[in-house]
Amino acid sequence: MHFPQTAEELADAERVMSDTWGHNMRGAIAALDGLVVRVRKPWMSTAPSAFFNQKGYSAIVVRAMCDGNRKFCMMSAEHQGACPDATAWNTSSFFNSATGLAARGGVPAPYFILADAAYGLTEYILTPYDGNNLPADKDSYNFGHSHYRMNIECAFGMLQRRWGILRREFEIDTP
């Protein structure tokens, strides 16, 4: 896995996204989302409730980004199921490492990452407009945003299909 860092890599990532998925969102380089992976309730953990998510079961959440070819370019499984997406993203080692996005001030303009509304809108993370009955321009943007973001959903689907254990509950060791 490699997240684009140089100007040439960023341009290539944008080209792959736009050539593969249409030219209506120039600048998109990756799609970001999370995958909930069921785990048995960690009995050794000092805070087992931290694993209990809003869907009613214990889990860890895998955060990942993929490019236009649905290849993962970043993945993190550092947070328990109860951790909100934006918090998990902002505290992930990828975001905060020396080569991470925080150290570089995000993704340089004109490039951006597409994510769902749970991640929050920033200068380099674009999220969909909220609400129903949106004006035509905002509805069109949401359609294009969704079209591009399907890459990460499909990448997670391919990952789960290949590694079936991700569809079943499994046991983890916790400190």
Side-chain angles (χ1 to χ4, degrees):
M1 279 185 277
H2 176 73
F3 186 78
Q5 295 183 18
T6 66
E8 184 178 321
E9 290 172 342
L10 289 163
D12 286 345
E14 189 275 336
R15 183 187 47 74
V16 168
M17 284 289 260
S18 65
D19 288 354
T20 307
W21 299 101
H23 297 282
N24 61 339
M25 294 198 85
R26 293 297 233 172
I29 59 167
L32 168 67
D33 207 357
L35 171 69
V36 176
V37 179
R38 285 180 180 256
V39 297
R40 288 194 190 118
K41 184 178 177 182
W43 62 275
M44 292 289 290
S45 174
T46 56
S49 62
F51 289 87
F52 198 75
N53 68 9
Q54 71 273 16
K55 296 179 181 180
Y57 53 85
S58 294
I60 58 171
V61 181
V62 176
R63 312 265 177 241
M65 275 194 281
C66 75
D67 64 14
N69 290 325
R70 299 179 177 159
K71 292 182 181 176
F72 290 106
C73 55
M74 184 284 293
M75 190 173 283
S76 167
E78 301 171 77
H79 296 88
Q80 299 96 337
C83 188
D85 288 340
T87 302
W89 168 251
N90 290 327
T91 59
S92 70
S93 59
F94 174 77
F95 181 78
N96 289 300
S97 70
T99 59
L101 292 174
R104 291 186 275 143
V107 175
Y111 304 111
F112 53 87
I113 298 165
L114 297 167
D116 63 31
Y119 288 91
L121 181 66
T122 70
E123 292 178 8
Y124 60 91
I125 294 180
L126 297 186
T127 60
Y129 285 102
D130 200 19
N132 297 325
N133 300 320
L134 296 171
D137 59 335
K138 292 181 179 180
D139 189 53
S140 178
Y141 166 82
N142 278 1
F143 179 81
H145 185 278
S146 173
H147 180 70
Y148 273 62
R149 217 170 49 76
M150 280 191 274
N151 283 308
I152 190 66
E153 303 294 343
C154 291
F156 280 138
M158 291 185 289
L159 181 71
Q160 286 181 306
R161 194 170 46 249
R162 175 68 178 96
W163 301 100
I165 192 168
L166 295 174
R167 292 184 302 246
R168 298 187 304 269
E169 181 179 270
F170 65 96
E171 197 165 326
I172 60 170
D173 293 328
T174 59

